[in-house]
Amino acid sequence: LQVTVLGTPREEQGGGKIDLIKAGAFDDLDVVFMAHPSQENAAYLPDVAEHDVTVKYYGKASHAAAYPWEGVNALDAAVLAYNNLSVLRQQMKPTWRVHGVIKNGGVKPNIIPSYAELEFYLRAPSMKDLSVLTEKVENCFKSAALATGCKVEIKGGENDYYNVLPNKSLQKVYKENGKKLGIEFISEDCVLNGLSGSTDFGNVTFVVPGLHPYFYIGSDALNHTEQYTEAAGSQDAQFYALRTAKALAMTALDVIFQPSLLEEVREDFRQVKLKEEGQINPV
Protein backbone atom coordinates (compact mmCIF):
# COMPACT_ATOMS: atom_id res chain seq x y z
CA LEU A 1 0.00 0.00 0.00
CA GLN A 2 1.21 3.48 -0.82
CA VAL A 3 -0.12 6.98 -0.25
CA THR A 4 1.17 9.62 -2.67
CA VAL A 5 1.08 13.37 -2.01
CA LEU A 6 1.23 14.94 -5.45
CA GLY A 7 1.74 18.66 -5.99
CA THR A 8 -0.22 19.90 -9.00
CA PRO A 9 0.55 23.53 -9.91
CA ARG A 10 -1.04 25.71 -12.62
CA GLU A 11 -4.66 24.71 -12.06
CA GLU A 12 -5.89 28.01 -13.46
CA GLN A 13 -3.14 28.71 -15.98
CA GLY A 14 -3.06 25.94 -18.53
CA GLY A 15 -4.00 22.93 -16.40
CA GLY A 16 -1.01 21.43 -14.62
CA LYS A 17 -2.87 18.23 -13.79
CA ILE A 18 -3.48 17.63 -17.49
CA ASP A 19 0.25 17.85 -18.15
CA LEU A 20 0.80 15.39 -15.30
CA ILE A 21 -1.77 13.01 -16.79
CA LYS A 22 0.13 13.08 -20.09
CA ALA A 23 3.37 12.43 -18.19
CA GLY A 24 1.88 9.34 -16.51
CA ALA A 25 1.72 10.75 -12.96
CA PHE A 26 -1.70 9.17 -12.33
CA ASP A 27 -1.08 5.83 -14.06
CA ASP A 28 -0.47 3.76 -10.91
CA LEU A 29 -3.04 5.42 -8.64
CA ASP A 30 -6.31 3.77 -7.61
CA VAL A 31 -8.11 6.81 -6.20
CA VAL A 32 -7.32 10.53 -6.12
CA PHE A 33 -8.55 13.06 -3.52
CA MET A 34 -8.52 16.84 -3.58
CA ALA A 35 -10.56 19.47 -1.70
CA HIS A 36 -11.40 23.05 -2.64
CA PRO A 37 -12.48 25.93 -0.35
CA SER A 38 -15.94 27.38 -0.90
CA GLN A 39 -18.95 28.88 0.92
CA GLU A 40 -20.46 25.51 1.86
CA ASN A 41 -19.62 21.88 2.55
CA ALA A 42 -20.38 19.48 -0.30
CA ALA A 43 -18.98 16.07 -1.17
CA TYR A 44 -19.55 16.96 -4.82
CA LEU A 45 -20.48 20.00 -6.88
CA PRO A 46 -21.00 19.87 -10.65
CA ASP A 47 -17.76 21.46 -11.86
CA VAL A 48 -18.22 22.05 -15.57
CA ALA A 49 -16.12 21.63 -18.70
CA GLU A 50 -14.25 24.74 -19.83
CA HIS A 51 -12.51 26.01 -22.97
CA ASP A 52 -10.28 29.10 -23.07
CA VAL A 53 -10.07 31.13 -26.25
CA THR A 54 -7.97 34.15 -27.25
CA VAL A 55 -9.19 36.18 -30.21
CA LYS A 56 -6.96 38.65 -32.09
CA TYR A 57 -8.26 41.11 -34.67
CA TYR A 58 -5.91 42.72 -37.18
CA GLY A 59 -7.00 45.88 -38.96
CA LYS A 60 -5.26 48.96 -40.37
CA ALA A 61 -4.22 52.11 -38.52
CA SER A 62 -5.15 55.56 -39.77
CA HIS A 63 -5.76 59.05 -38.42
CA ALA A 64 -9.19 58.88 -36.78
CA ALA A 65 -10.09 62.50 -37.67
CA ALA A 66 -8.29 63.22 -40.96
CA TYR A 67 -8.50 59.84 -42.76
CA PRO A 68 -10.83 57.48 -40.88
CA TRP A 69 -12.01 55.88 -44.15
CA GLU A 70 -8.47 54.62 -44.72
CA GLY A 71 -8.50 52.59 -41.52
CA VAL A 72 -9.81 49.16 -40.64
CA ASN A 73 -10.94 49.29 -37.02
CA ALA A 74 -9.91 46.26 -34.97
CA LEU A 75 -11.60 47.65 -31.85
CA ASP A 76 -14.90 47.78 -33.76
CA ALA A 77 -14.47 44.08 -34.45
CA ALA A 78 -13.83 43.37 -30.77
CA VAL A 79 -16.90 45.37 -29.71
CA LEU A 80 -19.05 43.64 -32.32
CA ALA A 81 -17.83 40.25 -31.13
CA TYR A 82 -18.66 41.16 -27.52
CA ASN A 83 -22.13 42.30 -28.56
CA ASN A 84 -22.65 39.23 -30.75
CA LEU A 85 -22.06 37.08 -27.67
CA SER A 86 -24.49 39.19 -25.66
CA VAL A 87 -27.16 38.53 -28.29
CA LEU A 88 -26.30 34.83 -28.33
CA ARG A 89 -27.09 34.57 -24.61
CA GLN A 90 -30.82 34.57 -25.35
CA GLN A 91 -30.40 31.21 -27.09
CA MET A 92 -27.89 29.78 -24.63
CA LYS A 93 -28.83 26.98 -22.26
CA PRO A 94 -29.14 28.10 -18.62
CA THR A 95 -26.16 25.90 -17.73
CA TRP A 96 -23.84 27.48 -20.31
CA ARG A 97 -21.47 30.29 -19.38
CA VAL A 98 -19.53 32.71 -21.62
CA HIS A 99 -17.48 35.48 -20.04
CA GLY A 100 -14.47 37.46 -21.11
CA VAL A 101 -12.57 40.72 -21.39
CA ILE A 102 -11.12 43.01 -24.05
CA LYS A 103 -7.40 42.87 -23.29
CA ASN A 104 -6.24 45.31 -25.96
CA GLY A 105 -8.36 47.98 -27.62
CA GLY A 106 -5.92 50.37 -29.25
CA VAL A 107 -3.27 52.95 -28.40
CA LYS A 108 -4.80 56.48 -28.61
CA PRO A 109 -8.24 57.87 -29.46
CA ASN A 110 -6.95 59.66 -32.58
CA ILE A 111 -5.56 56.46 -34.12
CA ILE A 112 -7.84 53.85 -35.68
CA PRO A 113 -6.90 50.69 -33.73
CA SER A 114 -5.08 48.22 -35.96
CA TYR A 115 -5.07 45.51 -33.28
CA ALA A 116 -7.51 44.31 -30.64
CA GLU A 117 -7.50 41.23 -28.44
CA LEU A 118 -10.14 39.46 -26.37
CA GLU A 119 -9.92 36.55 -23.94
CA PHE A 120 -12.99 34.45 -23.17
CA TYR A 121 -13.84 31.38 -21.09
CA LEU A 122 -16.58 29.06 -22.32
CA ARG A 123 -18.23 26.61 -19.89
CA ALA A 124 -20.80 23.84 -20.20
CA PRO A 125 -21.79 20.80 -18.10
CA SER A 126 -20.23 18.28 -20.50
CA MET A 127 -17.61 18.12 -23.23
CA LYS A 128 -20.38 17.39 -25.74
CA ASP A 129 -22.25 20.58 -24.81
CA LEU A 130 -18.99 22.51 -24.74
CA SER A 131 -18.21 21.64 -28.37
CA VAL A 132 -21.64 22.95 -29.44
CA LEU A 133 -21.17 26.16 -27.48
CA THR A 134 -17.64 26.64 -28.85
CA GLU A 135 -18.87 26.50 -32.45
CA LYS A 136 -21.57 29.10 -31.78
CA VAL A 137 -19.12 31.42 -30.03
CA GLU A 138 -16.48 31.14 -32.75
CA ASN A 139 -19.11 32.12 -35.33
CA CYS A 140 -19.68 35.30 -33.31
CA PHE A 141 -15.96 36.09 -33.50
CA LYS A 142 -15.72 35.32 -37.23
CA SER A 143 -18.77 37.38 -38.18
CA ALA A 144 -17.34 40.43 -36.39
CA ALA A 145 -14.22 40.16 -38.52
CA LEU A 146 -16.27 39.86 -41.71
CA ALA A 147 -18.40 42.89 -40.82
CA THR A 148 -15.41 45.16 -40.16
CA GLY A 149 -12.98 43.87 -42.76
CA CYS A 150 -10.48 42.70 -40.16
CA LYS A 151 -8.51 39.52 -40.14
CA VAL A 152 -9.14 37.30 -37.13
CA GLU A 153 -7.03 34.75 -35.30
CA ILE A 154 -8.85 32.41 -32.89
CA LYS A 155 -6.66 30.33 -30.63
CA GLY A 156 -7.87 27.85 -28.04
CA GLY A 157 -6.17 27.35 -24.70
CA GLU A 158 -3.42 24.85 -24.12
CA ASN A 159 -5.81 22.36 -22.52
CA ASP A 160 -9.56 22.00 -22.21
CA TYR A 161 -10.86 21.27 -18.72
CA TYR A 162 -13.26 18.32 -18.47
CA ASN A 163 -16.26 18.27 -16.13
CA VAL A 164 -15.68 16.47 -12.81
CA LEU A 165 -17.20 12.99 -12.84
CA PRO A 166 -19.03 12.11 -9.60
CA ASN A 167 -18.29 8.95 -7.66
CA LYS A 168 -21.21 8.17 -5.36
CA SER A 169 -19.36 5.50 -3.38
CA LEU A 170 -16.56 7.88 -2.46
CA GLN A 171 -18.99 10.71 -1.78
CA LYS A 172 -21.07 8.53 0.56
CA VAL A 173 -18.08 7.44 2.64
CA TYR A 174 -16.63 10.96 2.73
CA LYS A 175 -19.91 12.40 3.99
CA GLU A 176 -20.13 9.72 6.69
CA ASN A 177 -16.63 10.55 7.88
CA GLY A 178 -17.23 14.28 7.63
CA LYS A 179 -20.36 14.11 9.75
CA LYS A 180 -18.38 12.31 12.47
CA LEU A 181 -16.14 15.38 12.57
CA GLY A 182 -19.06 17.81 12.72
CA ILE A 183 -19.22 18.81 9.05
CA GLU A 184 -22.71 19.88 7.95
CA PHE A 185 -23.28 19.21 4.26
CA ILE A 186 -25.67 21.03 1.94
CA SER A 187 -28.70 19.10 0.66
CA GLU A 188 -28.68 16.95 -2.47
CA ASP A 189 -31.13 19.38 -4.10
CA CYS A 190 -28.62 22.19 -3.66
CA VAL A 191 -25.92 20.01 -5.20
CA LEU A 192 -28.01 18.99 -8.22
CA ASN A 193 -29.34 22.48 -8.90
CA GLY A 194 -26.08 24.28 -8.29
CA LEU A 195 -23.23 25.16 -10.59
CA SER A 196 -19.60 25.60 -9.75
CA GLY A 197 -16.47 26.60 -11.61
CA SER A 198 -14.06 24.48 -13.60
CA THR A 199 -10.94 22.58 -12.63
CA ASP A 200 -8.30 20.42 -14.27
CA PHE A 201 -9.22 17.82 -11.64
CA GLY A 202 -12.09 17.02 -14.01
CA ASN A 203 -9.59 15.56 -16.47
CA VAL A 204 -8.17 13.42 -13.66
CA THR A 205 -11.61 11.92 -12.96
CA PHE A 206 -11.73 10.63 -16.53
CA VAL A 207 -8.62 8.49 -15.97
CA VAL A 208 -8.90 7.47 -12.28
CA PRO A 209 -11.74 7.56 -9.71
CA GLY A 210 -11.68 10.88 -7.88
CA LEU A 211 -13.25 12.81 -5.04
CA HIS A 212 -13.36 16.61 -5.15
CA PRO A 213 -15.31 17.96 -2.16
CA TYR A 214 -15.82 21.61 -1.29
CA PHE A 215 -15.49 22.99 2.21
CA TYR A 216 -16.60 26.03 4.17
CA ILE A 217 -13.76 28.17 5.59
CA GLY A 218 -15.72 30.24 8.10
CA SER A 219 -16.50 33.14 5.77
CA ASP A 220 -19.41 34.11 3.52
CA ALA A 221 -17.09 35.96 1.13
CA LEU A 222 -17.16 34.75 -2.48
CA ASN A 223 -14.27 33.01 -4.21
CA HIS A 224 -11.90 35.07 -6.35
CA THR A 225 -12.39 38.24 -4.33
CA GLU A 226 -10.01 40.14 -2.07
CA GLN A 227 -12.23 39.33 0.90
CA TYR A 228 -11.98 35.60 0.22
CA THR A 229 -8.22 35.79 -0.15
CA GLU A 230 -8.03 37.39 3.28
CA ALA A 231 -10.43 34.85 4.79
CA ALA A 232 -8.53 31.89 3.33
CA GLY A 233 -5.34 33.05 5.05
CA SER A 234 -6.95 33.67 8.41
CA GLN A 235 -6.44 31.56 11.50
CA ASP A 236 -10.14 30.66 11.57
CA ALA A 237 -9.89 29.00 8.15
CA GLN A 238 -7.20 26.62 9.38
CA PHE A 239 -9.67 24.70 11.53
CA TYR A 240 -11.97 24.03 8.57
CA ALA A 241 -9.10 23.08 6.25
CA LEU A 242 -7.64 20.63 8.76
CA ARG A 243 -11.06 19.13 9.46
CA THR A 244 -11.56 18.52 5.75
CA ALA A 245 -8.09 16.97 5.51
CA LYS A 246 -9.00 14.59 8.35
CA ALA A 247 -12.22 13.56 6.58
CA LEU A 248 -10.25 12.86 3.40
CA ALA A 249 -7.66 10.85 5.35
CA MET A 250 -10.40 8.79 6.99
CA THR A 251 -11.93 8.12 3.58
CA ALA A 252 -8.53 7.07 2.22
CA LEU A 253 -8.16 4.58 5.09
CA ASP A 254 -11.59 3.15 4.32
CA VAL A 255 -10.57 2.60 0.70
CA ILE A 256 -7.27 1.02 1.74
CA PHE A 257 -8.69 -1.38 4.30
CA GLN A 258 -11.98 -2.24 2.59
CA PRO A 259 -11.28 -4.02 -0.71
CA SER A 260 -15.01 -4.26 -1.40
CA LEU A 261 -15.30 -0.46 -1.21
CA LEU A 262 -12.51 -0.04 -3.73
CA GLU A 263 -14.37 -2.34 -6.12
CA GLU A 264 -17.55 -0.27 -5.67
CA VAL A 265 -15.57 2.88 -6.38
CA ARG A 266 -14.11 1.36 -9.54
CA GLU A 267 -17.52 0.19 -10.74
CA ASP A 268 -19.00 3.66 -10.17
CA PHE A 269 -16.12 5.09 -12.16
CA ARG A 270 -16.71 2.69 -15.07
CA GLN A 271 -20.45 3.33 -15.20
CA VAL A 272 -20.24 7.12 -14.96
CA LYS A 273 -17.49 7.30 -17.56
CA LEU A 274 -19.46 5.11 -19.97
CA LYS A 275 -22.53 7.29 -19.49
CA GLU A 276 -20.47 10.45 -20.07
CA GLU A 277 -19.02 9.07 -23.26
CA GLY A 278 -22.50 8.22 -24.52
CA GLN A 279 -21.95 4.46 -24.63
CA ILE A 280 -24.95 3.69 -22.41
CA ASN A 281 -28.26 5.46 -21.94
CA PRO A 282 -28.66 7.68 -18.88
CA VAL A 283 -30.77 6.16 -16.12
Side-chain angles (χ1 to χ4, degrees):
L1 301 177
Q2 180 175 326
V3 176
T4 300
V5 179
L6 183 61
T8 57
R10 284 202 316 128
E11 174 174 298
E12 298 200 12
Q13 292 293 329
K17 295 181 188 65
I18 303 168
D19 293 334
L20 287 169
I21 290 171
K22 294 174 182 177
F26 296 93
D27 289 353
D28 298 324
L29 302 182
D30 295 297
V31 180
V32 178
F33 296 155
M34 172 184 165
H36 195 292
S38 183
Q39 291 76 46
E40 63 273 310
N41 293 299
Y44 168 79
L45 286 178
D47 286 289
V48 297
E50 190 258 341
H51 173 72
D52 297 357
V53 59
T54 298
V55 183
K56 299 178 180 180
Y57 290 106
Y58 299 93
K60 179 184 176 184
S62 183
H63 196 291
Y67 317 107
W69 53 85
E70 295 292 340
V72 178
N73 197 316
L75 177 58
D76 280 352
V79 172
L80 274 180
Y82 197 98
N83 288 331
N84 286 345
L85 293 174
S86 296
V87 173
L88 176 65
R89 294 182 196 282
Q90 184 179 2
Q91 273 68 52
M92 281 171 47
K93 293 181 179 180
T95 52
W96 291 359
R97 296 288 185 271
V98 175
H99 41 94
V101 295
I102 298 176
K103 295 182 67 176
N104 190 316
V107 180
K108 293 184 68 178
N110 64 336
I111 302 174
I112 299 291
S114 62
Y115 176 76
E117 181 178 338
L118 305 94
E119 184 175 2
F120 271 80
Y121 290 175
L122 321 180
R123 305 182 198 253
S126 68
M127 292 302 295
K128 182 179 180 181
D129 255 17
L130 184 61
S131 65
V132 175
L133 176 60
T134 298
E135 182 179 0
K136 291 178 180 292
V137 169
E138 288 187 352
N139 284 337
C140 289
F141 294 141
K142 293 174 183 177
S143 63
L146 182 63
T148 56
C150 291
K151 295 181 180 179
V152 62
E153 177 184 315
I154 303 172
K155 185 177 181 181
E158 185 178 349
N159 295 304
D160 285 345
Y161 289 15
Y162 294 1
N163 48 298
V164 174
L165 298 182
N167 191 290
K168 291 186 176 181
S169 294
L170 285 177
Q171 291 162 209
K172 178 176 180 291
V173 175
Y174 174 76
K175 288 182 71 173
E176 291 172 351
N177 288 323
K179 288 176 181 178
K180 293 175 184 176
L181 298 172
I183 298 178
E184 297 181 4
F185 293 93
I186 60 174
S187 68
E188 288 300 313
D189 286 343
C190 290
V191 171
L192 294 175
N193 295 324
L195 284 174
S196 188
S198 305
T199 170
D200 53 1
F201 191 87
N203 301 64
V204 176
T205 64
F206 274 74
V207 298
V208 61
L211 178 68
H212 188 271
Y214 282 83
F215 65 97
Y216 176 68
I217 64 168
S219 172
D220 293 328
L222 300 177
N223 293 60
H224 292 210
T225 64
E226 293 181 8
Q227 294 80 7
Y228 200 83
T229 299
E230 183 178 350
S234 71
Q235 188 60 41
D236 290 343
Q238 304 311 304
F239 164 78
Y240 298 102
L242 289 172
R243 184 173 64 171
T244 299
K246 289 178 182 178
L248 287 174
M250 292 164 68
T251 306
L253 290 172
D254 287 333
V255 172
I256 290 172
F257 292 109
Q258 298 180 36
S260 61
L261 173 58
L262 181 56
E263 282 306 312
E264 291 175 14
V265 169
R266 287 170 171 166
E267 181 59 24
D268 281 354
F269 170 70
R270 285 191 288 266
Q271 293 299 324
V272 171
K273 188 176 178 182
L274 283 172
K275 184 185 296 185
E276 184 69 22
E277 293 174 348
Q279 297 180 36
I280 62 174
N281 294 323
V283 176

